Amino acid sequence: DDALDALRTLASSAFPLSDRLRRDRSLTPEDLYYVAFNLAEGRAEERELARELLDHLAAKHGRTKVGQAAKNKLRLLPAEE
């Protein structure tokens, strides 16, 4: 996916990607989960971004299906290094 490749590039730069994605009103919680889920399997900086997005989803949408999925994925992520 070209969009995920662009996000992977931005994740390794100084760009505040997590803040921008969380504030973008055109992205649904499902969109954020899709991005976080795919980045969670990547390199350390991608996993860190995924963790931030999943934390946000779990906190803001904790009782929804997406919020529960975010909590489950957070449990599966390896510990921070």
Side-chain angles (χ1 to χ4, degrees):
D1 188 356
D2 291 336
L4 286 174
D5 291 339
L7 292 174
R8 283 185 181 96
T9 302
L10 287 172
S12 61
S13 70
F15 186 77
L17 186 57
S18 176
D19 292 336
R20 291 289 177 96
L21 290 174
R22 285 183 285 153
R23 286 191 223 150
D24 191 335
R25 299 225 181 253
S26 66
L27 296 174
T28 66
E30 290 80 8
D31 294 333
L32 288 177
Y33 181 76
Y34 175 79
V35 170
F37 186 90
N38 283 286
L39 293 178
E41 306 303 322
R43 296 173 301 188
E45 55 272 342
E46 294 170 13
R47 285 193 309 270
E48 180 58 34
L49 173 61
R51 186 178 305 281
E52 290 174 16
L53 293 175
L54 291 168
D55 279 334
H56 167 74
L57 288 169
K60 190 168 183 183
H61 305 281
R63 293 185 177 208
T64 66
K65 185 176 180 180
V66 165
Q68 293 297 317
K71 288 177 186 179
N72 290 336
K73 187 64 176 174
L74 277 169
R75 281 189 225 116
L76 297 174
L77 279 177
E80 293 181 44
E81 298 169 2

